[in-house]
Amino acid sequence: MARKERAAKAPKEPGRIKQMVQVFHMTRRYDPSVVWWMILGFVGSVAVFVLAAVLFSRDSIVGIVLWSVAGLLAGVLVTMIILGRRAERAAYGQIAGQPGAVGAVFKGSLPRGWAGSEMPVAVNGKTQDAVYRAIGRGGIALVGEGPLSRTRRMVEDEKRKVARVLPNVPVTMLYVGPDDSSVPLHRVPRELRRVKPQLTKPEVLAVTNRLSSLGTSLPIPKGVDPFKVRPQRAR
């Protein structure tokens, strides 16, 4: 009986349509242009299929109907794709500039073939600048989080550590921060996709195992937030 009561009281998760409506409202709040992009994507897709119907099935009513239905479905699909990408960009825009933002990207949006931890491999406790590391077919990617003037040296130090144990593995360096030359947070996955694959899957595994011996530059127990650690008071 108790289990049944708990099950009855458990709040129901919102349905798929309700979730999409919530995502749309959240995205529109931070990116008003999403409405026009969605309309453009839907109308453009339908227009392409209507044009195809006129060109290939102008004498067949059934053909025109099928092309039109396909156009509506394609329009809905393109609209959902646009909403998804804009929603992701809006979500990352809200956390851009905050400590751990790159870790959030590593946790949920790394491209296929890349693997990395949401925990940085190096952190400056005073400035909260950090360096994150990802491993994939393109080699090793080091992403600095913070102003370029402060993170460049941290990233180069990590690159030298990697070169000592893996001298022949290519290393890509990216910087996410307030500088004009830095990569926007939402474009980190795209930049990693552009890295040319140079390693095989067995080589990626070997690189991962080799780098595990380097550890990190965090002098704290695993699972502790480096930004919340406070020095102990003298007794």
Side-chain angles (χ1 to χ4, degrees):
M1 292 297 293
R3 291 182 179 179
K4 292 182 178 180
E5 291 179 359
R6 286 196 296 268
K9 294 180 180 180
K12 294 183 179 180
E13 295 184 358
R16 184 64 59 86
I17 296 179
K18 188 174 181 179
Q19 290 179 353
M20 293 174 61
V21 172
Q22 292 175 348
V23 170
F24 171 75
H25 287 306
M26 183 276 295
T27 306
R28 187 178 62 175
R29 189 179 305 116
Y30 294 94
D31 183 12
S33 64
V34 67
V35 177
W36 297 109
W37 281 109
M38 293 173 67
I39 293 174
L40 180 62
F42 180 81
V43 174
S45 301
V46 173
V48 169
F49 277 80
V50 170
L51 179 61
V54 172
L55 293 176
F56 301 110
S57 303
R58 66 175 64 184
D59 298 326
S60 172
I61 297 178
V62 175
I64 293 177
V65 171
L66 292 177
W67 277 104
S68 300
V69 172
L72 291 173
L73 295 176
V76 172
L77 178 61
V78 171
T79 301
M80 292 300 98
I81 293 175
I82 293 174
L83 176 60
R85 292 188 176 181
R86 288 277 168 169
E88 183 180 46
R89 182 171 180 174
Y92 286 138
Q94 297 177 51
I95 63 174
Q98 299 181 18
V102 174
V105 175
F106 273 33
K107 182 179 180 180
S109 299
L110 278 179
R112 184 178 179 181
W114 287 89
S117 173
E118 61 182 312
M119 292 295 293
V121 294
V123 170
N124 185 321
K126 294 182 179 180
T127 62
Q128 299 186 359
D129 299 330
V131 179
Y132 295 81
R133 184 174 65 213
I135 306 169
R137 295 285 307 279
I140 300 169
L142 297 175
V143 182
E145 180 182 77
L148 185 61
S149 59
R150 298 198 305 249
T151 56
R152 185 190 299 275
R153 183 173 180 178
M154 295 175 62
V155 173
E156 290 177 349
D157 287 344
E158 289 299 319
K159 182 180 179 181
R160 282 191 288 270
K161 292 179 183 179
V162 170
R164 282 198 293 266
V165 296
L166 296 165
N168 298 322
V169 177
V171 178
T172 300
M173 297 184 294
L174 301 176
Y175 298 90
V176 176
D179 305 278
D180 294 336
S181 59
S182 297
V183 178
L185 183 64
H186 68 275
R187 293 196 60 178
V188 170
R190 185 184 303 179
E191 293 295 324
L192 292 179
R193 290 191 194 98
R194 296 173 61 181
V195 179
K196 183 179 179 181
Q198 301 187 51
L199 303 179
T200 63
K201 290 183 178 180
E203 288 174 338
V204 171
L205 181 59
V207 169
T208 302
N209 294 334
R210 184 66 172 167
L211 285 179
S212 63
S213 63
L214 286 179
T216 67
S217 300
L218 303 178
I220 54 174
K222 185 177 181 181
V224 177
D225 189 342
F227 307 127
K228 295 181 180 180
V229 175
R230 296 181 180 178
Q232 297 181 353
R233 294 182 179 179
R235 297 180 179 179

